[in-house]
Amino acid sequence: MRVPLSWLREYVDLPATETGRDVQAKLISAGLEVETVEHLGADLKGPLVVGQVLTIEELEGFKKPIRFCTVDVGQANGTGEPQEIVCGARNFSVGDKVVVVLPGATLPGGFSISARKTYGKVSHGMICSSDELGMGDDGTHGIIVLPPETEVGKDAVELLELVDEVLDIAVTANRGDCLSIRGVARETAIAYGLPLRDPALLDVPGPNAFGYPVKVSDPAGCDRFTARTVTGLSPEARSPIWLQRRLQKVGMRPISLAVDVTNYVMMELGQPLHAYDRHQVQGTIGVRRAQEGEKIVTLDGVERKLHAEDLVITDDRGPIGLAGVMGGADTEIADHDPAEEGAAATTDVIIEAAHFDQVSVARTARRHKLSSEASRRFERGVDPQAASAAAQRTVDLLVLLAGGTAEAGVTEVVAPSAPHTITLAADHPDKVAGVTYGRETVVRRLQEVGCDVYGQDELIVTVPSWRPDLTDPNDLAEEVIRLEGYENLPSTLPRPPAGRGLTGRQRLHRRVGRALAGAGYVEALNYPFVSEQVFDQLGLEADDPARRVVKLVNPLSDEEPALRTSLLPGLLAALRRNDGRGSHDLALFETGLVFQPRDAARVAANLPVDRRPSPDDIAALNAALPDQPRHVAVVLAGAREQAGWWGKGRPADWADAVEAARTVAREAGAELGIRKGQYGPWHPGRCAELTVTVDGAERVVGHAGELHPRVLKTLGLPARACAMELDLDVLERVGDTVPQAPSISTFPVATQDVALVVDAYVPASDVEAALREGAGELLESIRLFDVYENAEQLGEGRKSLAYALRFRADDRTLTVDEASAAREAAVALATDRTGAVLRG
């Protein structure tokens, strides 16, 4: 919301010395977010005057039309002689009043004006457009043409109100009252302790039987509808300069007098209005829900198919406007255009000032992707009591500026409603803030915002109509606290209970992060939002559980409406983004929550804020949330080891992804099973399935390996990229995180190597498990150190697996016979289970 300081001063008698910066500081202290203060005309320097065009000579021989003009500027140039000016604009004629900047002046942006030769003539100044003066768009895209009655030689800086300060306020969703000069003026008056001249305090005639007929069929969607009629508007009447300038300063473009007046009153009072051409409205004006499939052409020229929940304004033909969003083209106000023959300008208008349901307007605006100044206000809350005053203010301005006549008929359809009251303990703000304000301060502050307050220890507070956001005692407490000053609240550090520290889950999370960082991975934190199309890109089956997602009711982006079920989409996007920016050797990791919907959907209850929730409250809240296990994932691309003077580097491959899984499992104290697998985005021949034993049953907890070429191509990833993802919560459940001190034996180790030939499809993990079990308790460790395949030596479809076995006893030095016997027992069991044969 842009608020010109000059407009604000009309309703609050601010000290003359107060600047926009001073007002900004006061409003920020009161809780409004004033982002910037724009100084209009700060670098503007005169002379800038009103001139009248005397002659126009068309210059020939140039690529674009050029005119040589003489302009009467009175005595502003010191001589009284006509000023000679070269100009390329075509939207003015002889006799028009224009804005002239004379040599010696400086325009916004530091553009200095001097006499200079151009197009074979000497131009002594400029004839100005609104853009050149920093006024904003006035719709003409050309020279400013002033009203004929404007005095020649008059100071244009004062006439056009070019010097001003404009406060740009970021209005939060709950403060719809501050989307108006009236609302900001009220906050300013409170901040300065000054009286407010409320522009909505007008003498408004009561409703009668002579008003334009209106029928409201949906009182829940429209609880107030005021209609007034003005006839006999002058077709030639134009918005005065002061009105146009105020609209420009608040960021709106002047259009025509009737439209400008409705926009002006909306910005002034916060009540959106709409003006209908009376001759285009047929029959009774109605308010109802649309019929499914009905169509309307809105003022932006777009035909829109209506939804059954859309609230519409109608006449006998059907919809003529989207209630609270935008009017229809059928009843648009027609402006007078002398160049267009046969075009009849609007002379009689019907003024609509209504109050529509916030939710209905918000849904309609989003459904049709049609946000407007009106919908922004209705969505945030509009004062229903201001409708009559806004209609009267519009009527008064149209009568004053366009010579119209206000008809005696007044239509007002109102659904009965009671004022909203809240019971508030007088010391409740004290408890919320931790500061003793006292009853008198609480009552005074609530009365300043417009509340009626009665009672002693227990206050009965009637909320003003312009503050629909005040719904419970905590809202009232916030009003007291913000007006007393957030900066006056004491800083009190919380005292956590001693001895709790981090949970086991948090400690594991940190250990895993440190371990992966120590292994050369860089943490990448990603948003938990995904699109459902990403599952197709990852090659997941149609019935894959990962496709069941939790969807957000109000997502940040329509393209990503779901919560992630895997960490890979975010990590792979980070990999692609960094690779595209020149970082080709990448190793990224992330630990974070994924979201899995429950079978039975529940609605979470609103928890109290005046006390700590009970265990039952927290349990009910958790039961309504989706399951949120913590996962860990890594992605790799490019070189895993860099080349240098020490030798050749090597690229990242599937084994690095598997080793990352082992690193995580070691930190969790879990025994990880690794075997050949096939799933989703991984290459079917280079994918490891990661398993653990839970309650005696084997469970798949993740996958690791090289990504499928098709996935790499679809997502635009580097060739041979690898990835791993694990369920960290399951690892924590089966792991033993008690630190184990390494055992140091005084007896020597006995090493035995064994090479076994097996079928190529036999997993090395199965052979290793058989060797480990067969070797017995003397086996200290086993390691696969070579895999060999050669059809000529081993046979077709056969491979050789070489293992190093380390044997040691706790109480003695092993003999060669003991070590050999353990080795032979291991080989025998491997032969029995996997068909292994000793090589050679």
Side-chain angles (χ1 to χ4, degrees):
M1 176 67 190
R2 291 170 57 85
V3 179
L5 191 59
S6 59
W7 199 349
L8 195 63
R9 288 182 182 275
E10 281 198 9
Y11 311 125
V12 183
D13 288 328
L14 295 172
T17 56
E18 288 294 286
T19 66
R21 294 290 186 191
D22 299 327
V23 178
Q24 178 189 29
K26 286 283 189 179
L27 293 179
I28 289 176
S29 178
L32 292 185
E33 185 181 351
V34 185
E35 294 186 324
T36 60
V37 178
E38 184 179 352
H39 297 272
L40 302 181
D43 52 355
L44 178 64
K45 176 184 173 185
L48 189 71
V49 298
V50 176
Q52 184 172 21
V53 180
L54 300 178
T55 64
I56 298 176
E57 177 188 351
E58 301 289 345
L59 302 182
E60 304 293 340
F62 300 102
K63 293 182 179 179
K64 61 179 181 178
I66 299 296
R67 312 168 97 185
F68 180 66
C69 310
T70 59
V71 185
D72 178 14
V73 295
Q75 296 298 318
N77 58 4
T79 65
E81 295 294 325
Q83 202 78 4
E84 296 180 340
I85 298 174
V86 175
C87 183
R90 318 270 317 163
N91 68 313
F92 64 96
S93 307
V94 173
D96 283 345
K97 303 289 181 65
V98 294
V99 178
V100 178
V101 57
L102 301 177
T106 303
L107 294 182
F111 182 59
S112 298
I113 303 299
S114 61
R116 64 189 184 94
K117 187 173 183 180
T118 179
Y119 298 102
K121 301 286 186 178
V122 177
S123 181
H124 298 273
M126 278 177 55
I127 302 175
C128 298
S129 68
S130 59
D131 286 339
E132 291 164 340
L133 297 179
M135 296 170 57
D137 183 13
D138 63 356
T140 64
H141 303 293
I143 294 302
I144 301 171
V145 179
L146 300 171
E149 64 272 13
T150 310
E151 179 186 350
V152 172
K154 183 178 178 63
D155 183 4
V157 175
E158 179 182 350
L159 175 70
L160 299 177
E161 301 178 12
L162 296 178
V163 178
D164 202 351
E165 293 181 275
V166 179
L167 285 70
D168 194 351
I169 303 175
V171 179
T172 54
N174 65 316
R175 292 303 304 273
D177 61 305
C178 288
L179 284 174
S180 66
I181 304 296
R182 178 196 184 199
V184 177
R186 183 181 295 108
E187 291 294 317
T188 305
I190 295 173
Y192 279 91
L194 297 172
L196 169 70
R197 288 189 293 274
D198 191 342
L201 294 180
L202 301 174
D203 290 331
V204 180
N208 54 52
F210 309 109
Y212 197 91
V214 173
K215 180 182 179 182
V216 177
S217 302
D218 190 339
C222 176
D223 57 9
R224 182 179 292 267
F225 194 107
T226 300
R228 299 288 299 275
T229 304
V230 181
T231 60
L233 300 180
S234 172
E236 289 79 19
R238 293 291 177 267
S239 300
I241 293 174
W242 64 266
L243 192 149
Q244 294 187 42
R245 287 297 294 132
R246 286 194 170 178
L247 289 177
Q248 288 173 330
K249 289 176 184 178
V250 298
M252 302 190 76
R253 180 172 64 86
I255 298 173
S256 64
L257 178 59
V259 176
D260 292 348
V261 167
T262 58
N263 286 336
Y264 177 85
V265 175
M266 177 180 66
M267 303 307 296
E268 182 180 54
L269 302 183
Q271 168 67 52
L273 302 108
H274 190 72
Y276 300 94
D277 187 329
R278 182 175 180 177
H279 298 296
Q280 301 300 324
V281 179
Q282 299 180 12
T284 301
I285 292 178
V287 182
R288 61 169 172 82
R289 297 290 171 174
Q291 298 174 9
E292 190 70 38
E294 276 189 306
K295 295 181 180 180
I296 182 176
V297 178
T298 46
L299 288 173
D300 57 359
V302 177
E303 183 180 77
R304 302 181 185 277
K305 186 176 181 180
L306 301 179
H307 188 275
E309 291 185 2
D310 290 335
L311 193 67
V312 293
I313 311 297
T314 65
D315 65 2
D316 291 350
R317 295 168 297 178
I320 59 173
L322 282 173
V325 181
M326 185 174 286
D330 290 344
T331 57
E332 182 180 6
I333 298 294
D335 195 15
H336 173 68
D337 187 355
E340 187 175 348
E341 295 183 4
T346 298
T347 57
D348 301 339
V349 298
I350 302 172
I351 305 300
E352 166 211 306
H355 185 260
F356 301 112
D357 177 61
Q358 294 177 238
V359 175
S360 176
V361 172
R363 288 179 175 173
T364 296
R366 282 159 178 74
R367 187 179 299 117
H368 295 284
K369 295 181 172 57
L370 186 62
S371 179
S372 64
E373 291 289 345
S375 67
R376 286 184 62 215
R377 284 160 176 79
F378 280 121
E379 289 172 16
R380 290 161 174 78
V382 169
D383 181 5
Q385 303 294 334
S388 299
Q392 182 63 45
R393 177 71 165 141
T394 305
V395 169
D396 291 344
L397 288 172
L398 288 176
V399 171
L400 175 67
L401 302 176
T405 301
E407 289 195 352
V410 177
T411 303
E412 195 163 301
V413 180
V414 181
S417 63
H420 180 56
T421 60
I422 302 172
T423 301
L424 173 74
D427 61 349
H428 182 68
D430 301 1
K431 294 178 180 179
V432 173
V435 176
T436 302
Y437 293 120
R439 179 188 176 281
E440 291 186 3
T441 299
V442 171
V443 172
R444 175 172 56 85
R445 288 303 189 183
L446 292 178
Q447 288 176 339
E448 285 178 347
V449 299
C451 296
D452 291 330
V453 185
Y454 302 95
Q456 292 299 317
D457 294 339
E458 187 173 84
L459 305 178
I460 306 300
V461 182
T462 301
V463 175
S465 58
W466 56 82
R467 290 298 304 273
D469 59 304
L470 303 180
T471 60
D472 57 54
N474 288 309
D475 294 330
L476 300 178
E478 182 183 4
E479 292 299 298
V480 175
I481 295 168
R482 74 175 181 89
L483 294 178
E484 284 296 305
Y486 291 121
E487 68 275 11
N488 297 323
L489 294 177
S491 298
T492 306
L493 294 177
R495 296 182 179 180
R500 291 189 178 182
L502 299 176
T503 64
R505 188 187 194 206
Q506 291 169 329
R507 287 195 295 270
L508 174 60
H509 176 206
R510 293 193 178 188
R511 287 202 311 273
V512 167
R514 285 195 293 266
L516 290 175
Y521 291 85
V522 176
E523 187 171 16
L525 300 178
N526 299 289
Y527 289 114
F529 312 119
V530 296
S531 66
E532 294 183 82
Q533 288 74 24
V534 75
F535 302 124
D536 296 327
Q537 297 170 338
L538 292 177
L540 300 186
E541 298 292 338
D543 58 349
D544 195 296
R547 286 183 176 269
R548 294 185 63 235
V549 295
V550 177
K551 290 188 177 181
L552 300 173
V553 175
N554 189 19
L556 293 179
S557 169
D558 292 337
E559 296 179 358
E560 295 180 331
L563 292 174
R564 66 189 177 191
T565 57
S566 167
L567 300 182
L568 288 185
L571 271 181
L572 294 177
L575 181 73
R576 179 179 64 249
R577 186 163 53 250
N578 283 275
D579 180 71
R581 294 175 180 175
S583 298
H584 304 301
D585 303 324
L586 295 162
L588 309 176
F589 84 93
E590 181 178 10
T591 58
L593 302 179
V594 298
F595 305 86
Q596 300 167 349
R598 298 180 188 267
D599 294 333
R602 300 184 183 181
V603 178
N606 291 325
L607 296 184
V609 296
D610 57 342
R611 58 181 172 81
R612 177 181 175 81
S614 68
D616 291 340
D617 291 336
I618 296 176
L621 180 63
N622 288 332
L625 298 176
D627 290 328
Q628 302 176 57
R630 183 175 293 277
H631 282 202
V632 57
V634 305
V635 294
L636 305 101
R640 184 65 176 135
E641 295 178 3
Q642 296 289 343
W645 57 266
W646 52 83
K648 295 182 179 179
R650 70 172 183 85
D653 61 15
W654 62 268
D656 294 301
V658 173
E659 183 57 31
R662 289 196 178 101
T663 300
V664 173
R666 281 194 296 269
E667 293 299 325
E671 185 174 344
L672 192 66
I674 300 172
R675 65 188 182 202
K676 183 179 179 181
Q678 182 174 347
Y679 177 71
W682 279 277
H683 193 297
R686 297 167 188 161
C687 172
E689 192 172 69
L690 310 174
T691 65
V692 294
T693 301
V694 182
D695 298 330
E698 190 177 62
R699 176 172 171 180
V700 177
V701 292
H703 294 83
E706 185 177 315
L707 295 174
H708 198 290
R710 183 172 57 251
V711 173
L712 299 179
K713 182 179 180 180
T714 302
L715 295 177
L717 299 173
R720 309 302 289 270
C722 303
M724 177 277 293
E725 183 167 12
L726 273 173
D727 189 327
L728 197 53
D729 282 357
V730 176
L731 289 183
E732 179 191 6
R733 193 188 319 161
V734 303
D736 182 7
T737 57
V738 177
Q740 298 291 331
S743 59
I744 302 176
S745 176
T746 59
F747 300 100
V749 66
T751 302
Q752 297 272 353
D753 293 345
V754 59
L756 301 175
V757 179
V758 296
D759 291 332
Y761 64 83
V762 176
S765 58
D766 290 354
V767 178
E768 180 180 324
L771 290 173
R772 188 183 298 276
E773 183 179 343
E777 61 182 12
L778 293 180
L779 180 67
E780 183 179 78
S781 67
I782 181 172
R783 178 175 62 88
L784 175 67
F785 66 86
D786 183 53
V787 178
Y788 178 70
E789 295 182 4
N790 189 311
E792 294 182 0
Q793 298 183 16
L794 304 177
E796 191 68 32
R798 305 279 281 175
K799 65 182 177 182
S800 171
L801 304 176
Y803 293 90
L805 287 72
R806 292 167 57 91
F807 299 97
R808 196 191 315 253
D810 295 334
D811 56 350
R812 67 188 186 282
T813 299
L814 292 178
T815 65
V816 174
D817 292 339
E818 288 178 309
S820 298
R823 172 181 178 274
E824 290 172 1
V827 172
L829 187 58
T831 300
D832 182 56
R833 287 189 177 177
T834 66
V837 177
L838 274 174
R839 181 180 169 188

